[in-house]
Amino acid sequence: GRYGIRLHNPFLSPSLSTDLWITDPYPPDEPREIARYESGWGRFARELAVKEDTAYLVFDGGGLEVVDISDPSAPREVSQFETMSHPRDIAVVDGTAYIAVDGYQDCNGLLILDVGDATHPGSGDDEFFRFCGFGDPRSIAVSGSYAYIGAESALYVIDISDPTAPYEVARVATPANATTIQGSYAYVAAAEHGLRIFDIQVPSAPQLVGAVAFPETFSGPDWAQAITVAGRRAYVGASR
């Protein structure tokens, strides 16, 4: 769409209460702020997913908030849902939220939540489902009938064709701080290993087909932390 939307980073702004910024990035040399949105949670927003006119925010310390952004200049709260966990990332597909969580009722893994009714998330006959067993989940991406959960030491592939009964079909030994899917490939920000690319045409058997290692520095290699793919280029955010 025309507007840019991102989470507030408390280290880049004097305001600690703004969770969401909406910007107009056009023209690129003169981007301008449209609105700021402040949540009532009193927690830092961790990640978000945007579907059409709705933003879904998850918060450190627990919590999902649904925000109406149909008027970009006046975002408004639609609903909140207490996850009682530490969400790390979120993807929303066809009225279902898939949340990578750390420590939900002693469960590290996947929380699946019905958000078909944005005013009452989790109000379906089956409120949510959990799939545990991941070590320190970091990210999630959904493609077709599969969720790809990045964790500290593995990329997990979960069959979600029946959201009420998810199950693991594969795991790959790799750090996966962030994952994005384009076509038949998963692009993984693999910490000290840089960028790794997996062929996922057969989701139950991902194959490593490419990698780019970051150059060494005096303090060691940079760590890949975030990734997005646009056209024929991958953009990797790293920390040192």
Side-chain angles (χ1 to χ4, degrees), residues 3 23 112 177 207-208:
Y3 297 100
T23 60
I112 302 178
N177 287 331
Q207 299 294 318
L208 180 66

Side-chain angles (χ1 to χ4, degrees), residues 165-219:
Y167 61 94
E168 179 183 327
V169 297
R171 71 173 67 181
V172 180
T174 180
N177 287 331
T179 305
T180 188
I181 308 296
Q182 290 286 329
S184 298
Y185 297 95
Y187 298 81
V188 177
E192 70 272 26
H193 301 289
L195 167 66
R196 287 180 167 177
I197 304 171
F198 294 90
D199 185 327
I200 55 170
Q201 291 186 72
V202 181
S204 60
Q207 299 294 318
L208 180 66
V209 294
V212 178
F214 291 154
E216 290 278 344
T217 67
F218 69 91
S219 59

Side-chain angles (χ1 to χ4, degrees), residues 19-177:
D19 296 307
L20 194 65
W21 282 346
I22 300 177
T23 60
D24 184 344
Y26 299 99
D29 59 342
E30 295 182 2
R32 64 187 181 92
E33 179 181 299
I34 300 297
R36 299 186 184 192
Y37 172 78
E38 297 182 4
S39 167
W41 280 109
R43 307 166 183 169
F44 290 130
R46 176 83 181 197
E47 282 294 348
L48 85 162
V50 176
K51 288 296 178 183
E52 299 179 346
D53 293 332
T54 306
Y56 302 83
L57 286 72
V58 290
F59 293 81
D60 271 345
L64 165 70
E65 184 158 332
V66 183
V67 181
D68 184 334
I69 54 172
S70 56
D71 179 356
S73 65
R76 64 178 183 86
E77 176 189 318
V78 176
S79 60
Q80 293 181 333
F81 183 87
E82 177 61 74
T83 63
M84 298 180 292
S85 62
H86 299 280
R88 299 308 185 197
D89 199 7
I90 180 172
V92 178
V93 179
D94 296 332
T96 302
Y98 301 88
I99 306 172
V101 295
D102 179 8
Y104 179 83
Q105 296 181 350
D106 298 322
C107 172
N108 292 341
L110 174 63
L111 176 66
I112 302 178
L113 181 67
D114 181 358
V115 293
D117 180 357
T119 61
H120 296 91
S123 61
D125 292 337
D126 298 300
E127 182 174 297
F128 58 78
F129 301 89
R130 291 180 290 144
F131 187 85
C132 305
F134 308 122
D136 193 11
R138 306 287 178 85
S139 63
I140 187 167
V142 173
S143 178
S145 298
Y146 298 90
Y148 298 81
I149 298 181
E152 182 178 22
S153 59
L155 175 67
Y156 296 86
V157 185
I158 309 300
D159 187 314
I160 53 171
S161 54
D162 178 359
T164 68
Y167 61 94
E168 179 183 327
V169 297
R171 71 173 67 181
V172 180
T174 180
N177 287 331

